[in-house]
Amino acid sequence: MKPPMLSVREALTQLLDAVRPIQDSEVVNTLDANGRVLAFEQRSTIDVPSADNTSMDGYAVRASDCESGSATLHVAQRIPAGSVGDYLAPGTAARIFTGALVPPGADAVVMQEQCELVGDSVTVRHAPRPGEWIRRVGEDVSAGSVILPAGTRLRSQEMGLAASSGLATLPVLRRARVAVFFTGDELAMPGEPLKPGAIYNSNRYTLRALLENFGCEVTDFGIVPDSLEATRATLREAARGHDLIITSGGVSVGEEDHIKPAVEAEGKLNLWQIADKPGKPLAFGEVASAFFIGLPGNPVSSFITFLLFVRPFLLRLQGATGPVEPRGYTMRADFALPKADRRNEFLRVRVNAAGGLDLFPNQSSGVLTSTVWGDGLVDNPPGQAIAEGDLVRFIPFAELQH
């Protein structure tokens, strides 16, 4: 008796449980750390800010001098950002600019819009509270505190935080080494003439771009002939020096689908066929020391199974410790899907001007235009029909491709 297909949740759990994260690390310039994963926690070398400074253009004052709400003070000094002012004597003010250090003696800053300058005197038409518009030393980061834990995947904001804390270099895990190849005698490359029955290999471009989004070092073995011998030979070669092998096509049950028997001959297959639509023929296993993930050949199926399964697997492989599954958002379906499928469906949809979701009219696994037209996927559970106005789980492509 044929075993039941795994659910999407069961399959993803198996993949993530099997991951052996990369351990090798290197030190890179912080400017070059975008998208990398921290190997070790990072601590700030300084207080941020390193001294009290103003968050506003205006006048540094003593709050006690301005209690009347209409105090006239002598402007004794001018303090631009990057310079240090003198002690602020009682009854005086300092012209000060955003980011400049607050001079000793001053305990508040009044924004320039609340002041009137005449000659070298300023009338302050506001009674400031002590500390007003002052950024205190260490209010963002304290020297020695952990600012980024190990396993953090670095984005622009983490890089900025590292730089603001004085970190010129960062220790990161090495990039994942991924081998890819594509099976199918019908495949041709753009620029070549199409023979009868041939199609252009769009998956090569889609998958290469996705892997580049995740900072992988990619070795592309190209199109492999539809034979068991050629598939086995390429698997052996791809396993050398790579963490992961990804293939597209050849994972179904036809006579020309050689991926499953080839992986079983060269390694082991741990998982095959998932109860999702599109993307049922997904395979996962190992060849020598490399992990193996076989994606379907249909372009939409290949794209979506990469986003749902390869993406979280890659993030864990690269050492990311935070959440790796995409966030879903509850949104209104402005369409109906009266016929439920027994599998977990992932429907291509677009956000409309009314804040609802429109369904692409052709949900075939070969219609790649649906992925360009759409803004994301509706994650529709097995056996679930959708009526117009129902609330559904929407996963934006923006959550899936980085």
Side-chain angles (χ1 to χ4, degrees):
M1 183 177 176
K2 190 176 180 180
M5 290 185 290
L6 291 176
S7 69
V8 170
R9 168 59 52 192
E10 290 168 334
L12 184 56
T13 298
Q14 283 198 25
L15 263 69
L16 296 181
D17 285 348
V19 176
R20 299 184 297 272
I22 291 167
Q23 300 295 317
D24 304 331
S25 65
E26 59 183 341
V27 176
V28 301
N29 191 299
T30 300
L31 281 171
D32 300 321
N34 192 29
R36 305 296 294 271
V37 175
L38 273 181
F40 310 105
E41 71 175 24
Q42 296 299 290
R43 295 176 179 268
S44 179
T45 62
I46 59 171
D47 289 319
V48 182
S50 57
D52 291 355
N53 68 88
T54 175
S55 60
M56 188 68 62
D57 288 348
Y59 293 86
V61 299
R62 292 172 176 265
S64 58
D65 286 340
C66 304
E67 292 176 346
S68 69
S70 184
T72 299
L73 307 171
H74 173 64
V75 181
Q77 52 184 310
R78 185 177 184 273
I79 312 173
S83 64
V84 178
D86 298 323
Y87 174 79
L88 189 75
T92 69
R95 181 71 167 112
I96 196 166
F97 298 88
T98 302
L101 301 188
V102 176
D107 62 0
V109 172
V110 180
M111 67 173 69
Q112 60 190 16
E113 291 84 355
Q114 295 173 315
C115 301
E116 182 181 349
L117 180 67
V118 177
D120 60 0
S121 295
V122 63
T123 300
V124 179
R125 304 192 185 284
H126 173 64
R129 302 180 311 276
E132 194 165 324
W133 299 117
I134 294 177
R135 294 183 288 217
R136 296 297 186 187
V137 59
E139 74 172 31
D140 186 9
V141 177
S142 298
S145 64
V146 175
I147 56 168
L148 296 169
T152 298
R153 188 165 180 244
L154 299 167
R155 305 166 298 171
S156 56
Q157 50 266 57
E158 282 85 10
M159 292 171 63
L161 178 59
S164 73
S165 300
L167 303 177
T169 61
L170 292 170
V172 295
L173 296 169
R174 70 163 172 80
R175 297 183 186 276
R177 298 167 185 150
V178 182
V180 295
F181 66 89
F182 309 85
T183 65
D185 290 340
E186 76 280 11
L187 297 178
M189 290 300 294
E192 300 174 354
L194 275 182
K195 299 176 182 178
I199 59 172
Y200 287 128
N201 184 8
S202 63
N203 288 347
R204 188 177 194 181
Y205 293 82
T206 304
L207 297 180
R208 283 278 299 269
L210 286 166
L211 289 168
E212 288 169 4
N213 284 352
F214 291 94
C216 300
E217 293 180 2
V218 181
T219 305
D220 187 345
F221 288 88
I223 300 170
V224 174
D226 270 335
S227 76
L228 181 60
E229 294 75 16
T231 306
R232 289 185 62 178
T234 308
L235 280 172
R236 289 194 296 271
E237 188 177 358
R240 289 195 286 269
H242 293 97
D243 305 297
L244 174 64
I245 304 166
I246 295 177
T247 64
S248 173
V251 289
S252 195
V253 292
E255 293 181 5
E256 298 301 320
D257 293 318
H258 300 293
I259 289 292
K260 183 174 183 288
V263 173
E264 290 174 329
E266 298 296 332
K268 61 180 180 178
L269 197 63
N270 302 324
L271 179 156
W272 183 55
Q273 296 199 335
I274 312 300
D276 71 332
K277 180 183 179 180
K280 171 185 170 183
L282 176 82
F284 172 68
E286 297 179 47
V287 177
S289 60
F291 291 108
F292 167 82
I293 299 179
L295 303 178
N298 280 320
V300 177
S301 299
S302 178
F303 175 65
I304 290 178
T305 50
F306 184 101
L307 298 180
L308 297 177
F309 298 102
V310 181
R311 174 188 174 275
F313 185 88
L314 266 178
L315 291 175
R316 280 282 183 265
L317 178 66
Q318 294 179 106
T321 56
V324 295
E325 296 183 49
R327 289 174 295 183
Y329 301 88
T330 301
M331 294 190 68
R332 184 187 69 248
D334 287 347
F335 63 89
L337 191 76
K339 186 178 179 182
D341 197 280
R342 63 189 179 89
R343 290 177 285 168
N344 194 161
E345 290 187 273
F346 292 90
L347 308 167
R348 279 82 75 202
V349 294
R350 182 163 69 182
V351 180
N352 59 39
L357 299 172
D358 293 332
L359 182 71
F360 193 78
N362 188 341
Q363 292 287 315
S364 168
S365 59
V367 181
L368 201 52
T369 49
S370 64
T371 65
V372 176
W373 174 90
D375 294 318
L377 305 170
V378 165
D379 177 3
N380 195 43
Q384 180 74 53
I386 299 174
E388 189 169 345
D390 282 354
L391 296 179
V392 295
R393 182 173 186 257
F394 171 64
I395 309 173
F397 284 142
E399 289 278 342
L400 292 163
Q401 298 197 59
H402 298 281

